[in-house]
Amino acid sequence: MPQPSSSAPRKALGRPPRISREEVIATARRIVDADGVDRLTMRRLAAEVGSTPMALYHHVRNKEELLVLLLDDYAARTLHRPEPPAEPRERVVVAAAAIHEALAGCPWIVEVLTADDLMSASALWFVEQIVDGLVACGLSPERAVHGYRAIWYYTAGEIVVRAAAARRRADADRPTYREQVFAGLDPDELPRLAEVADRWAPLTAEDTYRDGLRALVDGLLAAR
Amino acid sequence: MPQPSSSAPRKALGRPPRISREEVIATARRIVDADGVDRLTMRRLAAEVGSTPMALYHHVRNKEELLVLLLDDYAARTLHRPEPPAEPRERVVVAAAAIHEALAGCPWIVEVLTADDLMSASALWFVEQIVDGLVACGLSPERAVHGYRAIWYYTAGEIVVRAAAARRRADADRPTYREQVFAGLDPDELPRLAEVADRWAPLTAEDTYRDGLRALVDGLLAAR
DNA sequence: GCTACTTTCTATACATGTATAAAAACTCGC
DNA sequence: GCGAGTTTTTATACATGTATAGAAAGTAGC
């Protein structure tokens, strides 16, 4: 892995690199933008930076890290800070919704989203907004952090689940699991589900992220 | 794919199968239980059922479906229905927590969890409990379904994010992204995060699923 | 028994991520 | 300029999921 260019400006040791991490990421971004994340393979990436597959591994640890870096890059470019509302509760909602919107507009991250927190440097400001908003509403810093986590779980879950649903819809021919299950629904055993069975698909297709988010925030604040 | 054994008991057409879907799933389960999900490969599975890799594809669509079936199987065996509490709000919490607990005890599902809803037949009862509890608290059926979805997002997100964190901790040598980011935190720009920086790791390690769940449910009900 | 048809199984091949070992291209101390 | 050390790059190899083509093993009609 490349040294952090330290204070000592000694001539670099070893064979001089022909490609850089930045170049790799930029090229990867081009590929993803042009042809989608599925087409991003280490071999093609290597070819397009004019190198060999294994050479990439000196600049990124593996493909997953590459994707995380791509997400970072994406976040840095598209996460725009909204004017924070005066009301702290609203600050929380707005910050979370901004993160959510950015992620939702970037369908390929799902494979990365399982990455722990969203700890991209450019996302930190939003995390700060959320934690600060919760504190301003009277939560202790500890509870505020837990609150942020809950919001993050909810947000990441929404993205992941929706993306999976979309993927499933893509290879659509065969009936979904869901349809099969709902078809054989016993109204005596499961009356509520039977009641909404035929409305399930459109209902779950609705975008209710913000409603749920508001409910969660309300609940977090009420528990104080 | 095998026919649903229909009413007509005609002799089966075509070459008689030497392995069955059930056999495949049962063998896969053995492998996962014994050696972990990483060791479950189509080749090994084929060998252990005494067949060839591609023969498996006549009984499961692909590896992902196999994992979904495994999850189903797991759910059917371990999802025990608790006595539903009288208080409807509590029913919602208990049902969601039961699903969560089962999933959390089954670390390998993460790769499957991105599967749309948890629509395993054995999980439906819990979904019913949740939807019914929300309706009993005064939500319309539509809002109850949306509420269930929010709870599912929160739950799935918690599992996925925590599992990813655990995985990351497994190959632990290198410093986490998080540590790097928190190290260079500017207390003027991000005062709240700086304040909790050193407590972040233990705080986020705490299991606060139920607290967040309660908050979410409270918020969903308050929005009525 | 023979042909047509259906289903299941086998053999082979390919794309992909990445491990491993060695080669290449430098700087440094001498 | 030469050997030692360091870093980057290359070549090769392997495991894995799965596509494709065709062989195998049965039934049904004749």
Side-chain angles (χ1 to χ4, degrees):
Chain A
M1 226 49 34
Q3 297 295 100
S5 63
S6 82
S7 48
R10 280 243 303 275
K11 268 268 179 72
L13 215 57
R15 176 172 177 169
R18 303 170 49 138
I19 58 179
S20 67
R21 173 188 275 229
E22 287 66 36
E23 198 183 344
V24 169
I25 296 175
T27 309
R29 192 175 102 199
R30 253 202 6 245
I31 295 176
V32 170
D33 286 350
D35 293 358
V37 74
D38 289 348
R39 292 287 167 71
L40 178 66
T41 72
M42 298 306 266
R43 282 171 174 81
R44 171 163 174 196
L45 180 53
E48 297 213 2
V49 297
S51 185
T52 60
M54 292 313 292
L56 302 175
Y57 286 80
H58 265 92
H59 301 90
V60 290
R61 196 180 309 267
N62 49 37
K63 192 177 180 183
E64 184 180 333
E65 184 181 271
L66 173 64
L67 290 174
V68 172
L69 291 170
L70 269 183
L71 176 57
D72 264 22
D73 182 70
Y74 174 84
R77 281 178 300 119
T78 52
L79 262 185
H80 295 125
R81 305 184 176 186
E83 192 56 39
E87 227 255 292
R89 173 184 309 219
E90 219 42 36
R91 280 217 302 280
V92 175
V93 171
V94 165
I99 290 183
H100 177 259
E101 190 183 355
L103 292 180
C106 181
W108 50 268
I109 12 85
V110 181
E111 335 196 7
V112 191
L113 246 199
T114 58
D116 206 354
D117 297 73
L118 181 67
M119 275 303 160
S120 155
S122 33
L124 279 186
W125 182 82
F126 294 86
V127 180
E128 170 80 16
Q129 293 298 304
I130 293 174
V131 173
D132 183 62
L134 293 175
V135 170
C137 287
L139 294 198
S140 72
E142 288 77 15
R143 293 190 77 88
V145 171
H146 288 148
Y148 157 70
R149 293 288 284 188
I151 291 173
W152 173 239
Y153 294 152
Y154 171 70
T155 303
E158 204 264 2
I159 300 276
V160 167
V161 170
R162 291 195 94 78
R167 188 151 39 91
R168 211 151 317 254
R169 233 173 297 117
D171 30 64
D173 43 334
R174 74 304 186 51
T176 17
Y177 212 59
R178 171 158 59 193
E179 287 166 299
Q180 288 177 35
V181 166
F182 268 105
L185 237 167
D186 178 357
D188 290 332
E189 266 252 66
L190 306 170
R192 290 296 178 200
L193 294 186
E195 185 186 343
V196 294
D198 50 339
R199 273 170 296 165
W200 190 270
L203 274 178
T204 59
E206 281 178 46
D207 179 2
T208 57
Y209 170 77
R210 274 187 108 103
D211 293 339
L213 174 62
R214 265 175 212 288
L216 178 54
V217 172
D218 287 353
L220 289 170
L221 295 179
R224 140 196 63 174
Chain B
M1 232 39 46
Q3 298 295 100
S5 63
S6 83
S7 49
R10 281 243 304 275
K11 269 267 182 69
L13 215 57
R15 177 173 177 168
R18 304 170 51 135
I19 58 179
S20 67
R21 173 188 275 226
E22 287 66 36
E23 198 181 344
V24 169
I25 295 175
T27 309
R29 192 175 101 199
R30 258 202 3 248
I31 295 177
V32 170
D33 286 350
D35 293 359
V37 73
D38 289 349
R39 291 288 167 70
L40 177 66
T41 70
M42 299 305 267
R43 281 172 175 79
R44 172 162 173 196
L45 180 53
E48 298 212 4
V49 298
S51 187
T52 59
M54 291 314 291
L56 302 176
Y57 287 81
H58 269 262
H59 304 274
V60 292
R61 196 179 311 265
N62 50 37
K63 192 176 181 184
E64 184 180 334
E65 184 181 270
L66 173 64
L67 290 174
V68 171
L69 291 170
L70 270 182
L71 177 56
D72 264 20
D73 181 70
Y74 173 85
R77 282 178 300 118
T78 53
L79 218 39
H80 295 124
R81 303 184 177 186
E83 192 56 39
E87 228 254 293
R89 174 185 309 219
E90 218 43 35
R91 282 216 302 280
V92 175
V93 171
V94 164
I99 291 184
H100 176 258
E101 191 183 355
L103 292 180
C106 181
W108 50 268
I109 11 84
V110 181
E111 336 196 6
V112 190
L113 246 198
T114 58
D116 205 352
D117 297 73
L118 182 67
M119 274 304 160
S120 154
S122 33
L124 279 186
W125 182 83
F126 294 85
V127 180
E128 170 80 16
Q129 292 298 304
I130 292 174
V131 173
D132 184 60
L134 292 174
V135 170
C137 287
L139 295 196
S140 71
E142 288 78 14
R143 293 189 77 88
V145 171
H146 288 149
Y148 157 72
R149 294 288 286 187
I151 291 173
W152 173 240
Y153 294 153
Y154 171 69
T155 303
E158 205 264 4
I159 301 274
V160 167
V161 170
R162 290 194 95 78
R167 187 152 40 92
R168 211 152 316 255
R169 234 173 295 119
D171 31 62
D173 45 331
R174 74 309 189 45
T176 15
Y177 213 59
R178 171 158 61 191
E179 288 166 297
Q180 289 179 36
V181 166
F182 268 104
L185 236 167
D186 179 357
D188 290 333
E189 264 253 65
L190 307 170
R192 290 296 178 200
L193 295 187
E195 185 187 344
V196 294
D198 50 340
R199 276 171 293 165
W200 189 270
L203 274 178
T204 58
E206 280 177 48
D207 180 2
T208 57
Y209 170 77
R210 275 187 107 104
D211 293 339
L213 174 62
R214 265 175 213 288
L216 178 53
V217 172
D218 287 353
L220 289 170
L221 295 180
R224 137 198 65 174

